[in-house]
Amino acid sequence: MKFRKAGIAAASVLTLALTVSACGDGGKKDKGDSGSTGGSDKGTIKIGIKYDQPGIGQKTPDGFAGFDVDVATFVAKELGYAEDKIEFVETPSADRETAISRGDVKFIAASYSINDEREQKVDFAGPYLLAHQDLLVAADSDIAEGTDLNGKNLCSVSGSTSAQNVKKTIAPKANLKELSTYSECIAGLASGSVDALTTDDSILAGYASQEQYKGKFKLAGLKLSNENYGIGLKEGDTKLKDQINKALEKMVADGAWEEAVKKNFGPAGYKNEPAPKIGDIVK
């Protein structure tokens, strides 16, 4: 009788052990299935970009175009995602940190300057481009220095720190016109109602490179600030950060970075800085 009870107990222990073992194997398998960096269970990756910045990130009837789009696409491919597995998500400047923290996107490449305030909320890979605040003027303009703007019409978007920087440092008597979009400013520059447009030189070069404006504008080359463009990602995701940095280094080494610069900014005569070294933030 005692022997029979012992046999039943042993069988129960064996059954429990097999059940635990099966659950453990299943858990490992599930972890492996969902552990691909940068994507989702559907095999796609969501990347935040700008939709309205020609030369940087723009949604067009033919798809998406711009330097940031080229950088993001190269990085995604290095992470294992073909172009048809990339989903670009519009991320306006004010929404970038929120989009990352919510998990709406895996990373963001959207003229995203690295600074101390943003680094408190997200991590950055890169930088992948060093831009500068500058002026865009008519091709035949005699505006060579910022002081030439005193008494003339300076345009930027509403709330722009770039415009305030110009007025504070080099042209306090410039007539500031704040419009809703850079497109409105550049239309004013084309018509002559605006003498200069200010923001990052990369953004200015992108607008000036549009087909209808080729040859009509030039950059003043003032370098009024240093803007280190980085790829924003979730804070603490060191694995993804390292993978993106390696991809950026490869893009430079392969010559794809320089090719993207010429393609997106070249028509405006943009004199770009050399590709920055990873982690080298120019203050």
Side-chain angles (χ1 to χ4, degrees):
M1 190 70 173
K2 289 181 180 180
F3 176 79
R4 187 167 181 271
K5 287 182 178 180
I8 293 172
S12 298
V13 170
L14 178 60
T15 301
L16 178 61
L18 290 172
T19 302
V20 171
S21 176
C23 290
D25 289 342
K28 290 179 181 177
K29 183 177 180 181
D30 289 343
K31 185 176 180 180
D33 285 347
S34 61
S36 57
T37 302
S40 69
D41 55 0
K42 295 182 180 180
T44 60
I45 183 169
K46 292 183 178 181
I47 303 173
I49 62 167
K50 292 291 183 67
Y51 273 23
D52 58 352
Q53 287 185 345
I56 298 289
Q58 185 180 28
K59 186 176 183 180
T60 74
D62 298 322
F64 298 94
F67 182 73
D68 283 352
V69 173
D70 290 343
V71 170
T73 300
F74 188 98
V75 169
K77 286 182 178 179
E78 289 301 303
L79 293 177
Y81 296 90
E83 283 194 52
D84 62 353
K85 297 300 181 182
I86 299 172
E87 182 180 344
F88 288 118
V89 178
E90 183 176 19
T91 50
S93 296
D95 297 335
R96 288 179 296 204
E97 288 84 23
T98 302
I100 291 172
S101 64
R102 277 199 311 248
D104 296 344
V105 295
K106 195 65 177 179
F107 64 81
I108 290 177
S111 55
Y112 203 0
S113 296
I114 301 170
N115 62 36
D116 293 339
E117 181 181 352
R118 290 167 180 165
E119 286 189 302
Q120 300 301 313
K121 303 173 184 177
V122 300
D123 278 351
F124 284 99
Y128 63 89
L129 183 72
L130 176 59
H132 306 284
Q133 184 192 339
D134 201 355
L135 299 174
L136 188 70
V137 297
D140 59 354
S141 173
D142 58 0
I143 295 176
E145 300 293 338
T147 51
D148 294 339
L149 273 173
N150 283 317
K152 295 186 178 180
N153 295 325
L154 171 68
C155 191
S156 196
V157 296
S158 300
S160 168
T161 56
S162 297
Q164 297 303 326
N165 188 34
V166 169
K167 285 184 66 66
K168 181 180 179 180
T169 59
I170 59 174
K173 295 182 180 179
N175 302 316
L176 177 58
K177 299 182 70 172
E178 293 184 295
L179 301 179
S180 299
T181 66
Y182 290 120
S183 294
E184 291 178 88
C185 284
I186 201 167
L189 192 59
S191 69
S193 63
V194 168
D195 297 302
L197 163 61
T198 186
T199 187
D200 296 358
D201 53 7
S202 57
I203 297 173
L204 295 173
Y207 275 98
S209 295
Q210 294 177 95
E211 189 63 37
Q212 68 269 36
Y213 295 130
K214 286 182 180 179
K216 294 185 177 181
F217 308 120
K218 65 181 180 182
L219 290 161
L222 297 185
K223 297 185 178 180
L224 299 174
S225 70
N226 296 317
E227 307 296 335
N228 301 270
Y229 288 5
I231 292 181
L233 62 147
K234 192 170 185 179
E235 190 175 20
D237 196 343
T238 55
K239 182 178 180 181
L240 179 60
K241 180 177 178 178
D242 289 344
Q243 289 177 320
I244 293 175
N245 280 334
K246 287 179 181 178
L248 293 174
E249 288 175 337
K250 183 177 180 181
M251 186 177 186
V252 173
D254 287 354
W257 184 91
E258 189 66 33
E259 182 180 337
V261 168
K262 291 178 179 178
K263 181 181 75 173
N264 293 293
F265 305 132
Y270 178 57
K271 297 178 181 178
N272 64 283
E273 298 280 3
K277 293 182 180 179
I278 298 302
D280 186 8
I281 309 298
V282 180
K283 298 295 186 180

